[in-house]
Amino acid sequence: MPKKAFIALLVFILTAVFYIYTLLPSTAWGDGSKLQSEAIAGESFVLAEMTPDEFLPDPFIFSRVGVAAWDHPLYIVLGHILVRTFPFVDSLWLVNLISAIFGAASIALIFLLICQFSSSIFAAMYASLSLAVSHTFWWHSSTPEVYTLFAFLLLVSFYFFDLYERNGQYSFLGYSAFFWGLAASTHILAFLVILALGLYYLLSGSYRSFRISGVKKLAAPAVGYLAGFSLYLIQFIRMSANFPLDEIMGPVVGSTFLSQLGTLSPLLLGQSLLSYIFFLSVQFGPVGIVLGILGFRKVLNGTDLSLRKIVSFFVVFALFGIFYRVTDQFTFFIPSYLFWAVLMGIGAGYTSDLLSGKMRSLFPVALASVLLATPFFYQALPGLAAKNGLNDASIGIPEIGAGVRDGLAYYFNPNKRGDFTAYEFGSQTVSSLAPKAIVVAEWYTDTDEYFILRYFTKVRSLRPDITVLGWPTQDPFSFDSQLVVDVVKNSFPEHPVYLASLSQKFYAASTLIDDYCIVPENNLYRLYAKDSSDLQCLETAAVTE
């Protein structure tokens, strides 16, 4: 084990250096800028935007850190402490660093787990590094996202649970429960562990040996879990001082988004399943898919029933990702990728044992070549996609403002080294807006514009004369576009008014185009009086959904 621990350390160092080298240096697009703002300010954006009549926080630290599904208490607290501890380091880069470090630590844990399930160190290195350079995990390790911290805590919990099953020491079960509680304080996806364990006990037949007397032994793990989950519980109690329980529980479980599950049809589920298979193939390629399937079969056909927890965790997290059809659905696939990588390692070890002679020597060379080629493939992918007629609009990447972002480059290539485009968009836009401007950027439909402009105006306190309206307390699925029409009517012409997009659903853009002259200006869309004859006003053809 000391040799494997040393190799795991090398894997961590190698991966950390790789992730830091490709790390986004500044502001992110989309949700990333939201998380950066929340970590730097030490508060959840929704609570920060509420008036004293809506929310009255207590006078203590982190009083505005919420517990809704889109809040991540441990991530915010950890990020804020890091920023406050190192004030001489760029705060945006520090928050981004969290993703890189915990991403690398997760890869090292995958290596250790595979070493426990397979005798092949090379198979463990191949599978763990395949996850490291897989598109979605690498992308989330080089941008400010919560999922690498969650993945690390989930894997530590899984690691200690496996040790408990192998050694029977209840201290390991307590450690597992503690880190599970920390994972739940980071993301509510952690509660899927309950379903995964239930499936595991069915697949392994452990339910047959259940004894009611054994429940008493769960006291220590329960204490461990509550200790790990304590931050969330504290914040929940603090929120209950301002909101009724029913108003808290809806956002806690993400009821707004879960309500969309009722609209799923067999056709949509089929599309979602195909999307998952496609994304899984993109992450690991045909070789990774085959090796994962071999590992899946070996686990189910093997005599070590404890390995079936790997399959259980994969199945539960994969099914949740398939059913949870939201805009960023691909991010909810990440937990299942962790366990697929473990299955790949088992499959690679099994395949290596079957080969002999020259084929066995060539097998690791072939796998290593695929690993080395992967980053270069992602580097070339945006250009290849563009040459084949793909663009942001054709694959559903939202346009930023008047069209200032190369979405293919940002989302297809996880290498974010030297990418300052989001920061430049925000700083240039804010500095160029007319005095006392009002920017309409509803937070759900214009996520990128709202959170980046909010960072510069609220977190960095630049241009206090500018108002960015995002309606974060409004349900986006029942948003009334008349709110925007009324804002424009009551503000214009005393205040210059800008739109982040020409959305018909959220802004009634066709109505505004009929009543005003709208032109691209300062990366956004500015409204002028209809009689501005010297301007080339946009027509209704420019309106988007």
Side-chain angles (χ1 to χ4, degrees):
M1 189 62 186
K3 178 182 177 182
K4 293 177 181 177
F6 177 71
I7 297 175
L9 178 61
L10 291 181
V11 169
F12 168 75
I13 293 173
L14 175 66
T15 310
V17 170
F18 175 71
Y19 284 158
I20 293 173
Y21 180 80
T22 60
L23 189 64
L24 183 74
S26 189
T27 312
W29 295 105
D31 259 2
S33 56
K34 163 191 171 293
L35 291 168
Q36 287 174 316
S37 297
E38 291 182 327
I40 293 170
E43 58 187 15
S44 303
F45 85 99
V46 173
L47 298 178
E49 291 296 319
M50 287 185 175
T51 65
D53 291 334
E54 296 174 304
F55 176 69
L56 190 61
D58 61 55
F60 304 106
I61 191 170
F62 300 123
S63 60
R64 294 182 185 271
V65 174
V67 292
W70 50 83
D71 292 318
H72 310 287
L74 183 60
Y75 182 91
I76 294 175
V77 170
L78 176 64
H80 189 69
I81 291 174
L82 191 64
V83 169
R84 295 290 294 271
T85 303
F86 301 99
F88 49 87
V89 181
D90 179 68
S91 56
L92 293 168
W93 186 84
L94 272 178
V95 175
N96 299 350
L97 184 64
I98 295 174
S99 297
I101 296 301
F102 285 103
S106 299
I107 298 304
L109 275 170
I110 291 289
F111 171 82
L112 288 174
L113 282 169
I114 297 173
C115 284
Q116 291 187 173
F117 306 142
S118 171
S119 60
S120 173
I121 290 180
F122 175 79
M125 289 192 66
Y126 159 72
S128 58
L129 293 179
S130 289
L131 178 65
V133 298
S134 65
H135 177 272
T136 305
F137 197 84
W138 177 11
W139 195 91
H140 281 78
S141 297
S142 60
T143 60
E145 291 289 347
V146 72
Y147 292 98
T148 60
L149 173 60
F150 171 73
F152 170 76
L153 296 171
L154 179 66
L155 288 171
V156 174
S157 176
F158 189 89
Y159 180 81
F160 279 118
F161 183 71
D162 183 70
L163 287 180
Y164 158 70
E165 288 198 309
R166 293 176 182 275
N167 302 324
Q169 296 184 24
Y170 275 92
S171 60
F172 289 138
L173 189 59
Y175 298 149
S176 175
F178 173 72
F179 281 99
W180 178 33
L182 289 178
S185 290
T186 304
H187 203 296
I188 62 170
L189 277 176
F191 291 110
L192 291 176
V193 167
I194 299 172
L195 298 178
L197 288 175
L199 179 59
Y200 167 53
Y201 281 106
L202 287 175
L203 291 178
S204 64
S206 299
Y207 64 91
R208 299 190 187 97
S209 59
F210 175 78
R211 298 292 183 273
I212 193 67
S213 58
V215 174
K216 298 178 181 179
K217 297 180 180 180
L218 297 179
V223 171
Y225 175 79
L226 290 175
F229 198 51
S230 59
L231 172 63
Y232 189 96
L233 294 175
I234 290 171
Q235 295 306 119
F236 187 95
I237 293 171
R238 296 170 84 174
M239 294 302 104
S240 66
N242 279 271
F243 306 108
L245 186 61
D246 60 325
E247 289 186 17
I248 299 176
M249 290 308 298
V252 162
V253 300
S255 59
T256 298
F257 298 99
L258 289 176
S259 63
Q260 306 303 302
L261 295 178
T263 63
L264 288 180
S265 65
L267 178 60
L268 288 176
L269 282 178
Q271 292 175 349
S272 193
L273 176 60
L274 290 176
S275 294
Y276 181 81
I277 295 172
F278 169 76
F279 276 103
L280 188 67
S281 302
V282 168
Q283 309 310 307
F284 302 112
V287 174
I289 297 300
V290 172
L291 291 177
I293 292 173
L294 290 175
F296 199 105
R297 287 188 58 195
K298 181 170 176 57
V299 167
L300 292 183
N301 295 332
T303 57
D304 187 351
L305 299 182
S306 69
L307 295 186
R308 295 187 179 184
K309 60 179 173 286
I310 307 168
V311 170
S312 300
F313 274 68
F314 167 73
V315 168
V316 167
F317 281 105
L319 285 177
F320 179 83
I322 291 168
F323 276 88
Y324 201 52
R325 288 179 58 88
V326 290
T327 306
D328 56 345
Q329 184 183 20
F330 70 98
T331 62
F332 292 93
F333 297 159
I334 292 177
S336 69
Y337 296 159
L338 304 175
F339 300 100
W340 185 262
V342 176
L343 293 171
M344 283 171 52
I346 295 173
Y350 172 68
T351 303
S352 180
D353 291 340
L354 292 178
L355 299 175
S356 60
K358 190 175 182 181
M359 289 296 294
R360 187 166 188 173
S361 300
L362 290 176
F363 183 60
V365 175
L367 295 184
S369 300
V370 173
L371 282 180
L372 292 174
T374 300
F376 298 101
F377 169 71
Y378 289 137
Q379 191 76 30
L381 189 57
L384 292 174
K387 287 181 180 179
N388 284 276
L390 293 178
N391 54 43
D392 291 4
S394 64
I395 58 176
I397 298 177
E399 184 179 81
I400 301 301
V404 297
R405 178 183 68 181
D406 184 348
L408 292 180
Y410 186 74
Y411 286 107
F412 280 22
N413 185 9
N415 184 356
K416 296 292 175 279
R417 184 173 179 80
D419 185 354
F420 289 92
T421 54
Y423 184 90
E424 291 169 352
F425 163 77
S427 60
Q428 291 173 6
T429 301
V430 168
S431 63
S432 302
L433 291 176
K436 298 182 180 181
I438 292 177
V439 179
V440 174
E442 196 277 334
W443 77 274
Y444 183 74
T445 190
D446 288 316
T447 301
D448 302 84
E449 296 91 336
Y450 173 71
F451 285 115
I452 291 175
L453 297 179
R454 183 183 180 275
Y455 166 74
F456 281 96
T457 58
K458 290 291 184 69
V459 179
R460 290 193 58 185
S461 300
L462 300 179
R463 294 294 304 273
D465 60 307
I466 294 174
T467 300
V468 180
L469 297 177
W471 292 277
T473 60
Q474 296 283 331
D475 182 350
F477 296 106
S478 59
F479 186 80
D480 186 359
S481 60
Q482 187 61 40
L483 290 172
V484 175
V485 175
D486 291 342
V487 164
V488 174
K489 181 179 178 181
N490 296 330
S491 304
F492 188 87
E494 287 78 10
H495 292 273
V497 178
Y498 296 82
L499 302 177
S501 69
L502 297 178
S503 169
Q504 177 63 22
K505 178 180 178 181
F506 285 88
Y507 305 152
S510 60
T511 299
L512 295 178
I513 282 181
D514 288 340
D515 295 340
Y516 303 91
C517 176
I518 301 179
V519 298
E521 183 176 304
N522 297 329
N523 299 325
L524 303 174
Y525 296 95
R526 183 172 178 178
L527 278 66
Y528 286 93
K530 195 66 174 176
D531 57 359
S532 303
S533 57
D534 56 329
L535 298 175
Q536 291 186 336
C537 307
L538 294 175
E539 298 182 359
T540 54
V543 175
T544 61
E545 294 183 3

